[in-house]
């Protein structure tokens, strides 16, 4: 079963992150369910603020997909874009080079440490948490499959084992 953090922990990581670029990175990893490489390959034009979607191109398996963009993330992205003025990629390192995989890992590590999350949190943990929280909120597994870019529903079904929290919402038969 995949490791997940709570919604509150994910939000706390975002709030605790002061660097605007880093805040946007954590926000998109979590609220869009992106893989680290999908995030690093995002171009400015991949943010569709009219439709409130993120267009992920050439993700795992060379597939394109769309995922969610929420208002809070868009607001921070606009501030970030205005301040940093990236040229091609949404998240660029110094001199316009792509941001590194290790930098993203360090950003996530630092945010998890700031809010004292005891378990290991990786960029992929944020993706697993996104899927699990959607499932717990009642989102259909097929929608989650599309958002994650899974070819098969079998791949997405690992999340059905995780949401023990959702058991609270099921009426016990003998009560």
């Amino acid at each position: 079963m995949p490791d997940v953090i709570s919604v509150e922990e994910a939000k706390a990581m975002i709030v605790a992150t002061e660097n605007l670029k880093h805040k946007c990175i954590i926000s998109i990893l979590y609220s869009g369910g992106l893989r680290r490489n999908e995030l690093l390959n995002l171009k400015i034009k991949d943010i569709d603020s009219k439709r409130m979607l993120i267009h992920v191109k050439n993700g795992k398996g060379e597939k394109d997909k769309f995922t969610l963009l929420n208002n809070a993330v868009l607001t921070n992205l606009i501030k970030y874009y205005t301040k940093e003025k990236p040229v091609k990629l949404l998240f660029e390192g110094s001199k316009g080079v792509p941001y590194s995989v290790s930098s993203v890992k360090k950003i996530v590590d630092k945010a998890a440490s700031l809010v004292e999350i005891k378990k290991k949190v990786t960029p992929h943990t944020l993706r697993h948490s996104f899927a699990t929280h959607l499932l717990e909120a009642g989102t259909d597994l097929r929608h989650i499959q599309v958002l994650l870019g899974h070819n098969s529903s079998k791949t997405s079904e690992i999340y059905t084992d995780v949401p023990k929290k959702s058991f609270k919402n099921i009426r016990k038969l003998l009560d």
Side-chain angles (χ1 to χ4, degrees):
M1 288 197 298
D3 283 332
V4 297
I5 59 174
S6 70
V7 173
E8 296 76 20
E9 288 171 323
K11 287 180 180 179
M13 285 176 64
I14 294 165
V15 169
T17 303
E18 293 183 17
N19 179 295
L20 189 55
K21 181 193 289 187
H22 298 175
K23 185 182 292 277
C24 289
I25 286 171
I26 294 170
S27 297
I28 290 176
L29 285 170
Y30 172 67
S31 71
L34 269 65
R35 294 176 180 94
R36 182 173 28 197
N37 284 335
E38 292 171 339
L39 172 98
L40 292 173
N41 291 317
L42 284 178
K43 293 179 174 65
I44 298 158
K45 64 183 180 180
D46 295 334
I47 304 300
D48 186 342
S49 60
K50 299 220 183 327
R51 294 173 52 211
M52 296 304 287
L53 296 171
I54 298 172
H55 191 183
V56 177
K57 298 175 185 163
N58 295 318
K60 187 174 181 182
E62 304 289 315
K63 289 183 3 184
D64 289 4
K65 69 176 180 180
F66 285 94
T67 191
L68 309 172
L69 173 65
N70 72 40
N71 286 321
V73 174
L74 179 60
T75 299
N76 280 331
L77 279 173
I78 291 168
K79 289 177 193 172
Y80 159 71
Y81 178 81
T82 303
K83 180 182 176 197
E84 299 285 330
K85 297 178 182 37
V87 178
K88 185 177 177 186
L89 294 173
L90 186 58
F91 299 110
E92 297 173 340
S94 62
K95 301 175 188 155
V97 298
Y99 223 56
S100 73
V101 168
S102 61
S103 293
V104 174
K105 183 181 181 327
K106 287 177 188 170
I107 290 165
V108 172
D109 286 345
K110 182 178 178 185
S113 175
L114 281 171
V115 295
E116 299 176 349
I117 298 173
K118 301 299 181 214
K119 66 176 87 171
K120 181 177 177 171
V121 180
T122 67
H124 218 69
T125 304
L126 296 174
R127 176 177 163 83
H128 289 311
S129 299
F130 162 81
T132 301
H133 299 159
L134 286 177
L135 191 61
E136 288 176 344
T139 304
D140 183 81
L141 190 59
R142 173 70 182 130
H143 289 112
I144 295 169
Q145 176 188 343
V146 170
L147 291 169
L148 293 175
H150 290 159
N151 285 329
S152 166
S153 62
K154 293 284 183 205
T155 308
S156 305
E157 285 175 9
I158 62 166
Y159 299 106
T160 60
D161 290 335
V162 175
K164 307 290 187 248
K165 176 181 170 184
S166 62
F167 290 166
K168 294 179 198 171
N169 300 329
I170 300 172
R171 189 172 158 257
K172 294 182 181 93
L173 293 176
L174 297 176
D175 281 354

